[in-house]
Amino acid sequence: MRIKILGSAAGGGFPQWNCGCRNCNGVRDGSIRARPRTQTQIALEANPEYTLRTHWTLIGASPDLRSQIVADPDLRPFRHTNSSTPIYDVFLTSADVDSLMGLLHLREFQTFKIFSLPAVRRILAEENSIFRVLARAQPAVQWFSIPLASHAAWPKPLESHEPPRLICRAVSLGGEYPDFVGEKLRRELPPEEAVVGLALEYREKRLFIAPSLSGRNPQWKKWVESCDLVLIDGTFWSDDELIQQGRGKKTARQMGHLPLAGPAGLLEQYPYESRARKILIHINNTNPVLDEQSAQHRAVLAAGFEIAYDGMELTL
Ligand SMILES: [Zn+2]
């Protein structure tokens, strides 16, 4: 499985258009050592046996998706076709604007599959009619449900004669539905479907993806322990980061993100036993780890984490 990080920042990107924080100003004027980043977008190449063509899966659909696809030669239409794409499917982890707005970039009469929890589909279908543009393709974009795992167990291994395929489980992470979801619908939706992580397996290699980890449901730790690679929430360094910088009134935890530092933060809670390669993703522009000369940057590296950047490529 090949994994590409097409975007690694949280919502707003880095720098964010209207943000004058130390990091955003610093990356604009070159006074800090940091890389600009687009909004979080992951792509996986996991080819099923039935096709000789490359087969890419998008994890999330970022607001920057059009430019992220255009910038990557692997995601161009197949040669000698008038209309095609190696992108076959999109897996959604929540109904957050930053994780699905990019679906609108994929509206150009292209058929593909969307995998999500039923709640995310209902939010788009019942309250956000603009997403009906996806139904204009012939045949229309198809929706499928991702099975929600009740406990940390991988499906049984494939028999040797079975073709390789991408296996996915959704892991409830205990987050909340976005503010834009109407009261009536919100009351009907199951809380466990609001924000999920994805446990993916392909050719016996396992990957766990959780760009929004509230920490309210400890189930994620079990999955992390059984994976080879983990892409996990690096949104905020400290719980009061936005308040300190005058950029918001909510704490990281109130926004559904476990901060990296502090008591019971991600660095402290991360399973000690895990041998998986661990990479922070979805990094907010205010996070001091973005400054490559900061003490916080050094601290996460010393704790064994890597920090995702746009263009990072991984193989499993
Ligand atoms: Zn900023």
Side-chain angles (χ1 to χ4, degrees), residues 128-142:
N128 294 278
S129 57
I130 194 170
F131 287 93
R132 286 182 201 153
V133 291
L134 297 170
R136 297 182 307 173
Q138 296 283 342
V141 168
Q142 293 173 281

Side-chain angles (χ1 to χ4, degrees), residues 13-16 18-25 28 245 247 284-287:
F14 178 50
Q16 179 175 313
N18 63 347
C19 185
C21 76
R22 178 184 176 276
N23 278 349
C24 287
N25 283 339
R28 281 186 199 105
Q245 303 203 28
R247 294 283 307 143
N284 198 58
N285 59 76
T286 50
N287 190 331

Side-chain angles (χ1 to χ4, degrees), residues 55-171:
H55 183 124
W56 285 90
T57 294
L58 299 180
I59 307 296
S62 101
D64 293 319
L65 188 55
R66 181 195 163 272
S67 53
Q68 289 164 336
I69 292 172
V70 169
D72 192 317
D74 282 334
L75 301 178
R76 289 177 186 166
F78 295 112
R79 283 175 193 275
H80 313 301
T81 63
N82 291 330
S83 175
S84 64
T85 176
I87 297 166
Y88 282 79
D89 38 29
V90 183
F91 284 64
L92 301 176
T93 56
S94 76
D96 196 84
V97 172
D98 301 321
S99 68
L100 55 69
M101 199 169 115
L103 289 175
L104 297 175
H105 290 303
L106 302 179
R107 71 193 180 282
E108 307 294 352
F109 302 95
Q110 180 66 47
T111 300
F112 59 94
K113 295 176 182 173
I114 300 174
F115 292 85
S116 76
L117 272 294
V120 173
R121 182 179 182 177
R122 282 192 64 187
I123 291 167
L124 295 197
E126 294 178 27
E127 289 197 334
N128 294 278
S129 57
I130 194 170
F131 287 93
R132 286 182 201 153
V133 291
L134 297 170
R136 297 182 307 173
Q138 296 283 342
V141 168
Q142 293 173 281
W143 287 78
F144 299 88
S145 292
I146 309 174
L148 190 64
S150 57
H151 57 287
W154 293 90
K156 70 172 180 55
L158 295 178
E159 301 291 338
S160 55
H161 63 273
E162 289 181 70
R165 61 193 167 87
L166 187 65
I167 295 167
C168 181
R169 292 285 178 277
V171 178

Side-chain angles (χ1 to χ4, degrees), residues 11-68:
F14 178 50
Q16 179 175 313
W17 70 280
N18 63 347
C19 185
C21 76
R22 178 184 176 276
N23 278 349
C24 287
N25 283 339
V27 77
R28 281 186 199 105
D29 65 19
S31 62
I32 63 168
R33 189 192 294 171
R35 299 171 187 241
R37 285 167 163 85
T38 61
Q39 294 165 94
T40 288
Q41 181 64 52
I42 300 163
L44 310 176
E45 187 194 18
N47 301 324
E49 197 83 326
Y50 61 78
T51 174
L52 294 173
R53 289 177 157 179
T54 55
H55 183 124
W56 285 90
T57 294
L58 299 180
I59 307 296
S62 101
D64 293 319
L65 188 55
R66 181 195 163 272
S67 53
Q68 289 164 336

